[in-house]
């Protein structure tokens, strides 16, 4: 068995192969030099922890892989797969024979597509090495520009603010985390950032980047077209040098842009904005180069079936790099960039590689920590046709998404510390059981979610 990629997914898969009874050889090849480590802490306490505490936790204790009889080849990149010979080819020409091959190649930070980017100096955050570079730059008073208000951008902004930096976040969409988080929840998170002094500006695209006197200058332009229902932008105001726009519905009624979110530079400020460090958190791109070269089917990532098998029956793919059909969402093909999915798929794919026929059907689950808040999402909010809100008595609101048929498809909430964990866990179980809860009961905080679980099919 050969596993390419020693991240969360590949490493878990290698260990699971052994635990599930595979007695033959297991080789884990990873491009990074360090022992396999946890990636989520990179944007959290690796950036904020006390001096010297830059190491993300290792996935397994020292020596555990060796003890499990797994050969870990670190700092080596697989550059080709010879499917006829059943061999993985390394950059240095070494060839590793396989019976079954797993591609767990993850994703890379999307590069910022703006003019002037070639001048250099823009940071990204995907690996331990990136975090070490960044951490050094987050000094009190440093002017940090974060491009992108997705999870990575906002976690990074929170970490930078906690370290006393002067933080500005620039987001092209009209609100933060627009891809996966319901509006009210995103607004609560945005409010927390503003409270902490983060200058969060939405609806602005970065057009050009230049370097002057050691600073990185960002020129902001008209916002990118953001797909969304019945919302479009007015053209830029030609009389002003500042980008100027407003949101309105297609019926012509003006609607307020996101409450509490700055949508344009304040007139007193001169453009462009100057920063000591600019970090781009503009999404991740599935790492498919190897699969493409090997002629495997690609479809928003390496295309796999519900057993995580690629278009070659002896090659599997799992984690951030693959798209798979999800039975809970009508077989819709999705790709998840989430820690627990990488773990779950790592375990599941190992069993598939050993012949298990079980389809992968785990409910998607994601969390993000920003300041003292934790946000959790179970299921896919964008699959929902209607929304039900449960306003808990402690001020936490849970947003549930229901399908056309009333089936529970998602639940999202944000709260301090562990405040939302239990309810989201219960919601996750309801989603897995395809529960069709009564919306009024779902909205009623007096009825514990546990009660709904008892009524749901098992
Ligand atoms: C900063 C950060 C914070 C995050 N925070 C959260 C969070 O709070 N919550 C959450 O749910 N998720 C979070 N995630 C996402 C989560 O970490 C990922 O979903 C998870 O790491 C994916 O695991 P993976 O093994 O599929 O891919 P990766 O972790 O990307 O691992 C893939 C590995 O494969 C290696 N590789 C690629 N190509 C080759 C090749 N050809 N040869 C050899 N090796 C190769 C790469 O170097 C990499 O080490 C975060 C991610 C980042 C970057």
């Amino acid at each position: 068995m050969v596993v390419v990629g020693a991240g969360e997914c590949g490493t878990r898969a290698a260990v699971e192969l052994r635990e599930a009874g595979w007695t033959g050889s297991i080789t884990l090849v990873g491009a990074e030099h360090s022992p396999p480590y946890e990636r989520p802490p990179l944007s959290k306490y690796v950036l904020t922890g006390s001096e010297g505490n830059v190491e993300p936790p290792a996935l397994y204790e020292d020596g555990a892989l060796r003890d499990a009889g797994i050969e870990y080849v670190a700092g080596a990149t697989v550059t080709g797969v010879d499917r006829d010979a059943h061999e993985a080819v390394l950059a240095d020409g070494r060839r590793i024979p396989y019976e079954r091959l797993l591609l767990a190649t993850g994703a890379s930070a999307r590069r910022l597509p703006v003019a002037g980017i070639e001048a250099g100096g823009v940071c990204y955050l995907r690996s331990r090495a990136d975090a070490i570079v960044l951490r050094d730059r987050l000094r009190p008073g440093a002017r940090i520009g974060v491009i992108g208000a997705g999870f990575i951008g906002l976690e990074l902004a929170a970490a930078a603010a906690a370290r006393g930096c002067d933080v500005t976040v620039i987001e092209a969409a009209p609100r933060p985390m627009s891809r996966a988080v319901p509006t009210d929840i995103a607004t609560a998170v945005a409010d927390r950032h503003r409270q902490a002094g983060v200058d969060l500006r939405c609806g602005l695209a970065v057009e050009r980047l230049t370097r002057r006197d050691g600073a990185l200058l960002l020129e902001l332009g008209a916002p990118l077209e953001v797909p969304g229902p019945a919302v479009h932008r007015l053209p830029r105001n030609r009389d002003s040098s500042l980008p100027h726009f407003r949101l309105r519905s297609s019926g012509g009624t003006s609607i307020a842009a996101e409450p509490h979110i700055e949508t344009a530079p304040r007139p007193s400020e001169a453009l462009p904005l100057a920063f000591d460090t600019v970090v781009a958190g503009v999404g991740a791109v599935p790492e498919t180069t190897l699969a493409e070269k090997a002629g495997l089917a690609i479809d928003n990532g390496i295309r796999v079936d519900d057993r995580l098998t690629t278009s070659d029956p002896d090659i599997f793919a799992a984690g951030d790099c693959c798209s798979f059909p999800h039975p809970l969402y009508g077989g819709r093909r999705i790709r998840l960039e989430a820690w627990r999915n990488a773990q779950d798929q790592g375990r599941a794919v190992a069993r598939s590689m050993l012949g298990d026929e079980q389809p992968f059907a785990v409910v998607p689950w994601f969390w993000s920590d920003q300041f003292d808040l934790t946000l959790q999402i179970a299921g896919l909010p964008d699959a929902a046709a209607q929304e039900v809100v449960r306003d808990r008595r402690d001020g936490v609101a849970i947003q549930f998404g229901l399908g056309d048929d009333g089936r529970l498809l998602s639940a999202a909430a944000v709260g301090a510390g562990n405040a939302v964990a239990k309810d989201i866990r219960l919601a996750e179980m309801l989603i897995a059981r395809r529960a069709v809860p009564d919306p009024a009961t779902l909205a009623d905080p007096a009825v514990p979610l546990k009660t709904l679980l008892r009524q749901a099919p098992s």
Side-chain angles (χ1 to χ4, degrees):
M1 299 285 174
V2 174
V3 178
V4 184
E8 188 76 46
C9 182
T11 311
R12 301 271 177 206
V15 171
E16 183 70 15
L17 279 167
R18 187 64 81 215
E19 286 179 355
W22 176 253
T23 52
S25 81
I26 302 171
T27 308
L28 174 66
V29 188
E32 294 182 67
H33 290 272
S34 48
Y37 61 88
E38 294 280 359
R39 224 169 273 280
L42 295 179
S43 50
K44 305 174 182 73
Y45 66 80
V46 170
L47 293 182
T48 56
S50 56
E51 277 315 313
N53 180 18
V54 286
E55 284 306 324
L59 277 170
Y60 289 96
E61 276 174 22
D62 222 13
L65 294 178
R66 196 186 48 237
D67 293 349
I70 295 165
E71 187 191 350
Y72 174 39
V73 185
T77 303
V78 175
T79 51
V81 177
D82 185 336
R83 286 167 60 187
D84 294 331
H86 270 58
E87 287 174 344
V89 185
L90 269 55
D92 63 8
R94 270 183 289 171
R95 287 178 163 254
I96 307 176
Y98 67 82
E99 198 171 306
R100 296 268 159 93
L101 178 74
L102 169 61
L103 300 178
T105 46
S108 342
R110 187 190 300 281
R111 301 288 132 169
L112 193 65
V114 300
I117 193 80
E118 58 286 352
V122 173
C123 299
Y124 297 89
L125 179 55
R126 180 77 201 176
S127 65
R128 173 184 173 276
D130 295 337
I132 291 171
V133 169
L134 253 176
R135 188 191 154 87
D136 194 46
R137 299 189 182 193
L138 300 186
R139 298 181 186 281
R143 295 166 303 170
I144 306 295
V146 178
I147 304 174
F151 293 111
I152 301 288
L154 288 182
E155 288 191 3
L156 213 146
R163 293 198 64 180
C165 303
D166 182 4
V167 188
T168 303
V169 180
I170 297 150
E171 165 60 53
R175 68 173 177 90
M177 301 183 292
S178 55
R179 268 202 309 155
V181 180
T183 308
D184 290 359
I185 302 215
T187 303
V189 175
D191 283 349
R192 182 68 186 85
H193 276 265
R194 291 182 65 253
Q195 247 179 40
V198 173
D199 186 357
L200 180 54
R201 299 171 181 207
C202 294
L204 288 174
V206 175
E207 257 181 9
R208 178 179 300 278
L209 197 132
T210 43
R211 263 182 175 287
R212 199 185 304 149
D213 304 328
L216 279 166
L217 308 182
L218 291 186
E219 282 173 40
L220 305 181
L224 298 172
E225 273 309 311
V226 182
V231 171
H232 67 268
R233 293 172 195 291
L234 292 173
R236 188 177 164 136
N237 181 348
R238 288 175 196 284
D239 299 336
S240 162
S241 58
L242 297 176
H244 179 92
F245 53 87
R246 202 178 268 137
L247 296 176
R248 68 177 189 187
S249 74
S250 53
T253 334
S254 281
I255 56 167
E258 294 293 327
H260 315 304
I261 298 171
E262 196 69 53
T263 55
R266 287 181 276 265
S268 59
E269 285 174 342
L271 291 177
L273 302 175
F275 297 106
D276 299 310
T277 293
V278 169
V279 197
V282 290
V285 186
E287 207 27 271
T288 57
T289 322
L290 191 55
E292 278 174 61
K293 259 178 76 183
L296 300 175
I298 307 290
D299 181 359
N300 179 29
I302 306 170
R303 186 185 171 92
V304 293
D305 64 14
D306 60 5
R307 291 184 52 242
L308 306 170
T309 314
T310 68
S311 48
D312 179 326
D314 291 332
I315 305 181
F316 296 72
D320 281 18
C321 68
C322 80
S323 73
F324 63 101
H326 204 302
L328 282 171
Y329 297 91
R332 173 180 153 193
R333 181 162 289 281
I334 58 173
R335 190 175 66 78
L336 298 173
E337 292 164 9
W339 171 84
R340 201 167 83 188
N341 177 66
Q343 274 200 353
D344 290 339
Q345 287 198 339
R347 293 200 193 96
V349 77
R351 291 177 180 270
S352 286
M353 289 169 84
L354 299 178
D356 190 348
E357 296 288 332
Q358 199 77 347
F360 181 79
V362 179
V363 177
W365 179 86
F366 182 87
W367 100 97
S368 171
D369 290 335
Q370 293 169 38
F371 301 107
D372 50 344
L373 296 179
T374 293
L375 180 158
Q376 289 197 19
I377 303 171
L380 302 178
D382 74 343
Q386 43 170 323
E387 195 175 82
V388 172
V389 177
R390 164 177 288 233
D391 260 319
R392 277 186 356 195
R393 291 184 178 118
D394 58 358
V396 168
I398 307 172
Q399 276 183 271
F400 296 101
L402 304 178
D404 282 330
D405 53 359
R407 191 152 71 81
L408 184 63
L409 297 178
S410 67
V414 66
N418 234 8
V420 304
K422 192 170 150 222
D423 277 348
I424 295 294
R425 175 74 193 126
L426 287 163
E428 202 184 323
M429 290 154 87
L430 286 165
I431 297 169
R433 292 194 193 179
R434 299 173 187 261
V436 183
D438 166 38
T441 317
L442 198 56
D444 183 357
V447 183
L449 288 181
K450 238 188 199 156
T451 312
L452 291 172
L453 196 62
R454 272 188 230 117
Q455 295 160 1
S458 47

